[in-house]
Amino acid sequence: MTGSDDLRLVDHHCHSVVGHELDAAGFGALLTEAPAPAGDPWDSMLGLAVRRECAPVLDLPRHVPAADYLARRGELGVAEATRRLLAACGTDALLVDHGLRAGDLLGLDALAEAAGAPVAEVVRLEAVAEDVAAWGVAPGDYADALVEELDRRTRAAVACKSILAYRYGFDVPPHPPAPAEVAAAARHWLHDGGRLRHPVLLRHALWCGVDRGLPLQLHTGFGDPDEDLHRANPVLLTAFCRATAGTGTPVVLLHCYPYHREAAWLAQVFPHVWFDVGLASTYVGHRAAEVLAEALELAPFGKLLYSSDAFGLPELYLVAARAFRRAADRVLGGWHAEGEAGGDDVRRIAAMIAGGNARRLYGL
């Protein structure tokens, strides 16, 4: 009823893919958010989904053993396998966070060529801040230097992104820090070096992102063990949402699971808040429909976005795309079957979430 096979997607948050051949261990490491797989990474909902959804694209039967899948992938070569898998997604545009410093990932132009779709950049605030610090800037000049560099890097970008959830957590004051606080914190950080973790400087970077006026993406919820999950609950951003309500900058909550109901509430009560349930739909297998249904309990239909949050493996793009389409069929098709929505409404809502909302938000 949703016409899901015809739904064209805008992946509003994803990452690039590895451009070289992977051995079994390297492939398996990208099937989990853990720093090292616990047991066989194929023995998971995601492992099953790769064998089910991706194998036919590589001319293999569904549910083929993992060893046979990897052998066939090697026969085709990484470039051909990547091209086939990305082409099968039905994606019209990719908005890519290229701030993860993995030198073996395809650049944005190479990714666009492999995907056969346009790619736009999402600028990661903390990565820019760390680059500015590496230049040897004086503490008193750091704040202005970050603003200038963000202005330069975001001229062709469609969004900014913060990983505050990973580096500290959302339990920080919701307003921008004073200039004296920034200078004092910069003095300590620039002396000690390392990743940006100081809460004052993280808040400063966050508000520099707000000031750019582009949609501001924030990772929330499920992720790797660098974060404390309870401090990545988007409901902790309520005061920040109040503080940014008059700025004109959209706030976009990424992933959100298992706090997708909290994110839906924020999108319900704050006109400038949007969200997705990306990443979760990749990992939860057949339960993706339940996650989508729970997200739609409160969320305005025009505020929910599609994303894969795929990283490293083109398989993750395809698993996410298929999971979303199947979930949309089950949830929205169920509304039609139960008389809650007409067929035209079902198709319209599905198209909004798949790509229409992202086109409107990002001006695509």
Side-chain angles (χ1 to χ4, degrees):
M1 176 50 64
T2 64
S4 63
D5 290 343
D6 299 324
L7 280 178
R8 302 299 299 179
L9 304 177
V10 172
D11 194 340
H12 91 106
H13 184 80
C14 55
H15 306 271
S16 191
V17 297
V18 173
H20 62 77
E21 303 290 348
L22 290 165
D23 61 16
F27 189 97
L30 292 170
L31 289 177
T32 175
E33 287 290 302
D40 186 347
W42 289 92
D43 283 338
S44 63
M45 296 302 294
L46 177 53
L48 291 176
V50 168
R51 293 167 52 212
R52 180 183 67 249
E53 305 295 345
C54 302
V57 179
L58 305 189
D59 307 319
L60 295 168
R62 285 176 176 260
H63 313 300
V64 66
D68 293 347
Y69 180 87
L70 292 176
R72 175 58 177 163
R73 198 180 194 272
E75 289 173 5
L76 288 171
V78 64
E80 176 62 10
T82 296
R83 185 195 65 77
R84 289 190 186 195
L85 291 162
L86 293 180
C89 294
T91 303
D92 284 342
L94 307 174
L95 310 189
V96 179
D97 169 11
H98 210 46
L100 285 173
R101 303 175 190 279
D104 54 355
L105 297 181
L106 295 181
L108 298 182
D109 290 342
L111 179 62
E113 182 177 356
V119 167
E121 185 175 10
V122 175
V123 173
R124 184 179 290 213
L125 298 170
E126 292 80 5
V128 177
E130 288 165 1
D131 285 345
V132 169
W135 298 340
V137 64
D141 297 330
Y142 167 77
D144 290 339
L146 177 57
V147 170
E148 292 173 7
E149 184 61 10
L150 275 174
D151 177 70
R152 185 182 73 82
R153 292 204 197 179
T154 58
R155 286 172 191 168
V158 294
C160 295
K161 178 192 176 183
S162 171
I163 53 169
L164 174 62
Y166 279 110
R167 297 298 178 83
Y168 188 82
F170 294 143
D171 46 345
V172 295
H175 299 285
E181 290 181 274
V182 175
R187 189 173 300 109
H188 289 291
W189 180 43
L190 297 174
H191 178 269
D192 296 337
R195 301 169 78 190
L196 178 58
R197 292 188 177 277
H198 197 293
V200 168
L201 298 183
L202 289 167
R203 284 167 54 214
H204 173 66
L206 182 67
W207 278 92
C208 286
V210 172
D211 291 342
R212 294 304 304 138
L214 296 170
L216 176 62
Q217 300 181 348
L218 291 99
H219 172 96
T220 74
F222 173 51
D224 67 44
D226 272 359
E227 68 176 8
D228 293 325
L229 184 59
H230 67 286
R231 299 174 71 189
N233 186 335
V235 80
L236 296 174
L237 292 167
T238 304
F240 176 75
C241 292
R242 292 193 191 103
T244 54
T247 64
T249 296
V251 172
V252 188
L253 308 174
L254 303 175
H255 319 323
C256 304
Y257 180 87
Y259 306 118
H260 46 290
R261 281 171 157 156
E262 288 88 337
W265 170 73
L266 289 169
Q268 167 73 241
V269 299
F270 290 105
H272 68 306
V273 174
W274 307 59
F275 79 116
D276 71 37
V277 289
L279 185 61
S281 59
T282 307
Y283 277 86
V284 301
H286 70 282
R287 298 287 294 180
E290 281 71 18
V291 174
L292 179 61
E294 289 167 357
L296 287 170
E297 288 170 350
L298 282 181
F301 303 146
K303 307 289 283 298
L304 183 59
L305 306 161
Y306 168 77
S307 81
S308 67
D309 195 39
F311 172 85
L313 298 177
E315 284 84 352
L316 302 184
Y317 280 95
L318 183 55
V319 167
R322 296 272 176 86
F324 169 74
R325 289 188 172 95
R326 189 165 52 248
D329 264 344
R330 286 180 57 192
V331 175
L332 301 180
W335 291 0
H336 181 262
E338 295 167 10
E340 295 187 14
D344 289 345
D345 279 334
V346 163
R347 287 183 286 272
R348 179 177 58 84
I349 294 165
M352 288 166 60
I353 300 169
N357 292 339
R359 291 186 181 93
R360 179 162 52 94
L361 173 61
Y362 297 101
L364 302 180

